[in-house]
């Protein structure tokens, strides 16, 4: 069943008196519990698309609906995880995870109970009182994921969340994210530049065109999990998608 619906979505920016069409005629249905990765050339509007779902950017054309209701601004039914972590340096792990719950005026005892549950879910038990400066990049991103999940969003939006991590930590975090996704059954919309990451994570991959961004191809990934990056099917699928992106880059 579809939970997130993009209908003829477009985004136009005004710059120096001129209009820049960033996204054009974007149509997509995302099912509940589905893990969707978005790939495309730099500047094609991937992050803008997520920001519109989050309600951080207005929609110039069409509509985006969550559970049948048009998105018109930010809401706790969507959780966003950023590449740069976005943690408050003066707050410890628990207080960072509790932040959204504080905004919603959740009573202290309930807030602590919820935050503790998600701290443990992301594997940070024992680090509740640690501050961001004391954490590795992977641990910081775990805090970001826990904070987003603590609000119990219908959709988890992830904008290249592992892009700043080293290769080994990135692979570990991908595996951890799949574990968390399996436990929470959340719908995930995940932006990445890495074809390898998309094939490893996704139920479905959306390949966008160069700006103005629209959907060029959709790939259903039917490889069983856990996925073996060294398997012939994984390698062949990754090459197909890389070749498609290369065609977009060269125009041939």
């Amino acid at each position: 069943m579809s939970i997130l619906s993009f209908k003829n979505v477009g985004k136009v920016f005004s710059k120096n008196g001129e209009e820049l069409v960033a996204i054009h005629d974007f149509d997509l249905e995302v099912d509940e519990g589905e893990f969707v990765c978005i790939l495309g050339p730099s500047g094609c509007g991937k992050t803008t698309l997520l920001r519109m779902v989050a309600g951080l950017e207005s929609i110039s054309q069409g509509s985006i609906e969550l559970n049948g209701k048009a998105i018109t601004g930010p809401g706790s039914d969507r959780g966003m995880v950023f590449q740069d972590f976005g943690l408050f340096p003066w707050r410890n792990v628990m207080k960072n995870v509790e932040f959204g719950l504080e905004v919603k005026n959740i009573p202290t005892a309930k807030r602590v109970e919820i935050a503790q549950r998600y701290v443990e879910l992301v594997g940070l038990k024992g680090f509740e009182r640690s501050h961001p400066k004391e954490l590795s990049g992977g641990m910081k991103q775990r805090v970001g994921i826990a904070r987003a999940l603590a609000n119990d969003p219908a959709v988890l939006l992830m904008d290249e969340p592992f892009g700043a991590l080293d290769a080994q930590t990135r692979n570990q975090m991908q595996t951890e994210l799949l574990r968390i996704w399996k436990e929470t059954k959340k719908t995930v919309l995940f932006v990445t530049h890495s074809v390898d990451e998309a094939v490893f994570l996704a139920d479905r991959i959306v390949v966008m065109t160069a700006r103005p961004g629209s959907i060029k191809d959709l790939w259903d990934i039917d490889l069983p999990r856990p996925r073996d990056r060294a398997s012939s099917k994984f390698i062949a699928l990754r090459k197909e998608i890389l070749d498609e992106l290369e065609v977009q880059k060269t125009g041939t």
Side-chain angles (χ1 to χ4, degrees):
M1 180 183 296
S2 176
I3 186 175
L4 185 62
S5 179
F6 299 81
K7 299 178 180 179
N8 193 35
V9 173
K11 177 63 180 177
V12 179
F13 291 100
S14 294
K15 188 174 181 180
N16 299 325
E18 297 183 1
E19 289 191 342
L20 174 67
V21 181
I23 297 173
H24 178 66
D25 289 342
F26 189 95
D27 289 281
L28 181 69
E29 299 289 332
V30 179
D31 289 340
E32 187 171 6
E34 189 176 17
F35 199 125
V36 176
C37 283
I38 302 176
L39 286 169
S42 293
C44 72
K46 300 185 295 296
T47 293
T48 298
L49 200 67
L50 279 198
R51 289 178 61 83
M52 288 194 293
V53 178
L56 302 176
E57 290 280 359
S58 61
I59 301 166
S60 303
Q61 170 189 311
S63 67
I64 303 175
E65 296 181 356
L66 179 58
N67 285 320
K69 296 182 179 179
I71 291 173
T72 57
S76 60
D77 52 0
R78 287 144 284 148
M80 188 96 170
V81 180
F82 302 92
Q83 180 178 343
D84 62 358
F85 313 128
L87 304 181
F88 300 117
W90 59 89
R91 284 179 169 246
N92 62 28
V93 168
M94 278 288 287
K95 291 299 184 182
N96 265 287
V97 176
E98 289 179 40
F99 177 73
L101 303 171
E102 288 181 25
V103 173
K104 293 167 69 175
N105 294 315
I106 302 297
T108 301
K110 184 65 174 177
R111 194 168 71 222
V112 170
E113 176 189 338
I114 294 170
Q116 185 66 45
R117 183 194 321 153
Y118 285 103
V119 165
E120 293 182 13
L121 176 68
V122 301
L124 287 177
K125 185 177 182 179
F127 292 90
E128 291 88 344
R129 305 306 168 194
S130 299
H131 286 77
K133 66 180 181 181
E134 301 170 289
L135 305 177
S136 68
M139 294 169 78
K140 289 177 185 176
Q141 200 54 284
R142 289 170 192 254
V143 178
I145 294 169
R147 182 176 60 185
L149 289 173
N151 277 323
D152 193 25
V155 177
L156 187 62
L157 308 169
M158 308 190 79
D159 187 12
E160 295 191 71
F162 309 142
L165 305 178
D166 64 84
Q168 182 177 359
T169 304
R170 185 170 185 157
N171 286 352
Q172 291 172 345
M173 287 301 299
Q174 290 165 8
T175 300
E176 279 293 285
L177 176 59
L178 287 177
R179 176 186 63 79
I180 293 165
W181 169 68
K182 185 176 180 180
E183 289 192 33
T184 61
K185 298 179 173 60
K186 293 297 180 184
T187 304
V188 179
L189 205 57
F190 187 106
V191 163
T192 179
H193 277 100
S194 169
V195 174
D196 182 273
E197 183 168 67
V199 175
F200 186 78
L201 292 173
D203 292 319
R204 193 159 44 127
I205 295 174
V206 177
V207 177
M208 293 180 67
T209 65
R211 191 175 66 237
S214 60
I215 295 178
K216 181 172 178 58
D217 284 301
L218 291 170
W219 301 75
D220 291 312
I221 312 301
D222 59 0
L223 301 177
R225 295 185 175 97
R227 293 174 182 164
D228 180 2
R229 300 175 198 267
S231 73
S232 58
K233 289 184 178 180
F234 189 103
I235 293 169
L237 184 55
R238 182 177 60 197
K239 185 178 186 306
E240 284 183 45
I241 299 172
L242 281 168
D243 288 346
E244 179 60 44
L245 290 169
E246 188 62 29
V247 166
Q248 288 199 53
K249 188 186 300 182
T250 62
T252 59

